[in-house]
Amino acid sequence: MKFFIVLLVLLWCPPCKTDDLSDDIDTIAALLIQMKAELQNTKTQVNTMEAKLGASEKLVKELQKENKALSMELRDLKVSSSTTDANVKDVQKQNKALLNELGVLKNRIGTTEVSVEQLKNQNQGMKVAFSAALVGEGFLNTIGPFNQQTTLAFRHVFTNVGNAYNPSTGIFTAPVKGVYLFTLYIYAPANEQVPVTTSLMKNQQQVLVAHGHLAIRFTVNTSNGVSLLLEKGDTVYVQLWQSRIIFDNVNCHTTFSGHLLFTV
C-alpha cells in the first residue's frame, strides 16, 4: 500500500533531477522489499490461522462426537433411572408387605408363646394322684355278697391330689388327657364257696380283673394294675362281682390307687 502511494506521488510530482530520480527508485525498491516481507509474514500468519482453524474445526467435531456420546449416555441413564425408580417402588412395596407379614407372625408367635406358657403352667400345676382304702377302720368288715355287680366306694382316703377321686362314689374322673397308672390290692377271708373277684372299669367297660380263691382257712390276697390312656372326663372305678365278698379293716388291706404319669 505504501508503494502505490509513493508511486502516485512520483507520477504527479513535477520533473525532478536525475539524482532525485535515483533516490526515488531506491526508495521504491526498499519499499518493495519491505512489502514482500510483509506479504510473506501475512501469508505465514494466514497459514498459521488456517492451521489453527483446522485444528479448531477438528476439535469442534470431536467435541460434537463426545457430546453426542454423552447425550446417549444421559438418555440411557434417564431410562436406567426410571427403571431403578420403578424397581425401588416395587421393593418398597414388597418390604411393606413383608413388614406387615412380620408383624402378623410376631403377633402369632406372641400368642403361641403365651399359650405354651399357659400349657406349661397347667402341666406343671396338673398333679393328680390318689390312694384310698376300702374301709380303713374296725376289725370285722366283710362286704358282700351282692346280687349284682356293685361299685366299691373306697372311703378311707390317704391321698387325693387334684381331687379327681370321689370317695363317696368310688369313681375317679380324669381331669386332663394323659396316661394314668392304676393299682388294686384286694383282701378277703378264705372261703371254699365264695371267692373274691373285682373288676377295674373304664367308662362302664371292664379293663382287668383281680381274682382270688382259697378253700383253706385264713385269707386270700390278689392284686393287679394297668396304665391307661384317658381322655378328659373318662371315669375309672372298681366293682365287686355278683355273689363275691371282699374284706377290709383298720389295717387297710384293700386299696385302690392311681396317679397321672404324663399328659398328652
Side-chain angles (χ1 to χ4, degrees):
M1 181 63 66
K2 291 180 179 180
F3 169 75
F4 291 106
I5 294 172
V6 173
L7 183 60
L8 290 172
V9 170
L10 291 174
L11 291 175
W12 287 98
C13 288
C16 300
K17 296 180 179 179
T18 303
D19 292 337
D20 293 335
L21 183 59
S22 177
D23 291 337
D24 292 336
I25 291 172
D26 291 338
T27 300
I28 292 171
L31 289 173
L32 286 174
I33 292 172
Q34 184 180 354
M35 289 296 294
K36 286 182 179 180
E38 290 180 357
L39 180 60
Q40 185 64 37
N41 184 42
T42 301
K43 287 182 178 180
T44 301
Q45 291 178 356
V46 169
N47 291 334
T48 301
M49 293 296 293
E50 288 179 349
K52 289 183 179 180
L53 180 60
S56 298
E57 291 177 349
K58 183 178 180 181
L59 180 60
V60 168
K61 289 181 179 180
E62 290 177 354
L63 290 174
Q64 288 176 342
K65 185 177 180 180
E66 290 179 2
N67 186 49
K68 184 177 180 181
L70 290 173
S71 297
M72 294 180 66
E73 290 182 5
L74 181 60
R75 183 188 63 189
D76 293 340
L77 286 174
K78 288 182 178 179
V79 173
S80 177
S81 178
S82 299
T83 304
T84 302
D85 290 342
N87 292 335
V88 167
K89 290 181 180 179
D90 290 339
V91 170
Q92 289 175 341
K93 186 176 180 180
Q94 293 174 4
N95 287 341
K96 185 176 181 180
L98 289 173
L99 288 173
N100 291 335
E101 291 181 5
L102 181 61
V104 173
L105 288 175
K106 284 182 178 180
N107 290 334
R108 289 181 179 176
I109 290 172
T111 303
T112 302
E113 288 177 348
V114 171
S115 299
V116 169
E117 192 65 27
Q118 290 175 348
L119 288 174
K120 285 182 178 179
N121 294 334
Q122 290 176 3
N123 290 336
Q124 289 175 356
M126 187 58 65
K127 296 178 181 179
V128 181
F130 78 95
S131 185
L134 185 60
V135 178
E137 62 183 17
F139 292 96
L140 299 175
N141 294 301
T142 300
I143 298 173
F146 301 109
N147 58 6
Q148 63 181 1
Q149 192 158 321
T150 303
T151 299
L152 297 174
F154 291 76
R155 299 182 183 277
H156 186 76
V157 176
F158 300 108
T159 304
N160 193 12
V161 177
N163 295 315
Y165 173 71
N166 187 341
S168 299
T169 62
I171 297 174
F172 171 82
T173 303
V176 65
K177 181 179 180 180
V179 176
Y180 297 79
L181 175 64
F182 297 95
T183 56
L184 289 176
Y185 292 95
I186 306 301
Y187 181 89
N191 189 314
E192 182 178 358
Q193 303 299 324
V194 183
V196 55
T197 308
T198 58
S199 295
L200 182 71
M201 308 293 291
K202 172 189 172 184
N203 299 334
Q204 300 181 351
Q205 298 294 322
Q206 179 176 287
V207 177
L208 54 79
V209 171
H211 173 79
H213 188 193
L214 189 62
I216 63 174
R217 295 180 60 186
F218 304 113
T219 60
V220 58
N221 292 279
T222 183
S223 62
N224 211 337
V226 66
S227 294
L228 294 177
L229 173 61
L230 301 182
E231 299 289 339
K232 181 178 180 180
D234 284 349
T235 57
V236 178
Y237 49 94
V238 179
Q239 286 191 334
L240 180 68
W241 281 25
Q242 180 181 354
S243 302
R244 299 294 196 267
I245 61 173
I246 194 169
F247 180 85
D248 193 29
N249 61 18
V250 69
N251 294 317
C252 301
H253 296 287
T254 301
T255 61
F256 173 38
S257 302
H259 64 270
L260 173 66
L261 296 177
F262 54 86
T263 59
V264 293

